Amino acid sequence: MIIESIVTTLDEEGTPLPERRVNFAPMGVEWGDETIVIKPYKETATYRNLAATGTAVVNLTDNVLIFAEGAISNPIFPTRPAKVVNGAVLQDVCSWRELKVVGVNSEQPRAYVTAEVVHRGFEREFLGFNRARHAVLEAAILATRTRFLPAREILAEFERLQVIVDKTAGPQELQAMALLTDYVQKVLAS
């Protein structure tokens, strides 16, 4: 089962937080109780950081603005140090899993990184995703594919998703959808 999360990784071994650069990557991970699989593209900071440090934190949050911003830019969100691994936990997290890499298969364009869950943390109840939050997640995924999907297809899907957001969103979801729509329009116009 794929669970949408924010994967945090650190840039290189040795420098403690907060001086260390944290990478925030919205990413669907293959979920398991004892093992989680992360599949980053090999040219990404997530892959480089996993290869360099062998650790990551999978953050579960219901804040879709984090997903939206993370999909289209390189934001920095507030974090705190992980408990067991040398990693970073989102401040706005419901729960998290701290991971230690146990295997990497990098034969395909997307690496297959198997990681053992070495710590579980809980901050607050996960409120879930209403229809607007789901729509924003889908829009964020589409925004990351503007370079290789047909513009007509992306714009039609954004139009459909906007109807859902307009009917069921709160302020955070409206802000996230506006951010993604603006980004997609600029990319497709260029």
Side-chain angles (χ1 to χ4, degrees):
M1 171 172 51
I2 304 296
I3 299 291
E4 296 302 324
S5 67
I6 303 296
V7 176
T8 53
T9 55
L10 300 180
D11 62 355
E12 60 186 49
E13 198 61 53
T15 309
L17 289 172
E19 296 83 21
R20 224 159 149 186
R21 172 77 172 119
V22 179
N23 180 64
F24 300 88
M27 189 175 299
V29 298
E30 288 185 18
W31 194 262
D33 289 333
E34 304 301 322
T35 304
I36 291 177
V37 176
I38 303 170
K39 295 192 243 177
Y41 286 100
K42 290 188 291 191
E43 66 275 1
T44 64
T46 300
Y47 176 74
R48 289 189 303 274
N49 293 349
L50 282 166
T53 67
T55 63
V57 177
V58 173
N59 298 272
L60 301 180
T61 183
D62 50 13
N63 183 340
V64 292
L65 193 52
I66 293 174
F67 285 94
E69 290 178 17
I72 62 173
S73 63
N74 293 311
I76 297 174
F77 300 107
T79 62
R80 61 181 178 269
K83 302 278 187 191
V84 174
V85 302
N86 196 0
V89 176
L90 277 173
Q91 287 287 18
D92 191 2
V93 69
C94 298
S95 64
W96 72 95
R97 302 294 186 273
E98 297 179 26
L99 308 177
K100 190 88 162 148
V101 173
V102 295
V104 178
N105 179 339
S106 57
E107 294 175 10
Q108 301 296 321
R110 289 181 77 166
Y112 192 92
V113 180
T114 305
E116 175 187 4
V117 176
V118 295
H119 180 75
R120 292 166 180 78
F122 178 82
E123 185 68 25
R124 63 181 172 82
E125 183 178 17
F126 180 77
L127 295 179
F129 293 123
N130 68 352
R131 290 182 66 212
R133 288 180 178 177
H134 280 289
V136 170
L137 284 176
E138 290 302 320
I141 292 166
L142 277 172
T144 67
R145 290 161 169 75
T146 55
R147 304 271 187 239
F148 53 87
L149 286 178
R152 186 176 65 252
E153 183 180 318
I154 291 171
L155 292 172
E157 188 63 10
F158 258 77
E159 191 173 310
R160 185 186 74 76
L161 294 170
Q162 186 66 57
V163 171
I164 295 167
V165 170
D166 289 343
K167 287 181 179 179
T168 63
Q172 185 184 81
E173 294 79 24
L174 290 169
Q175 181 183 358
M177 191 64 176
L179 181 74
L180 292 167
T181 300
D182 183 57
Y183 172 83
V184 166
Q185 289 174 345
K186 285 179 182 172
V187 169
L188 294 179
S190 61

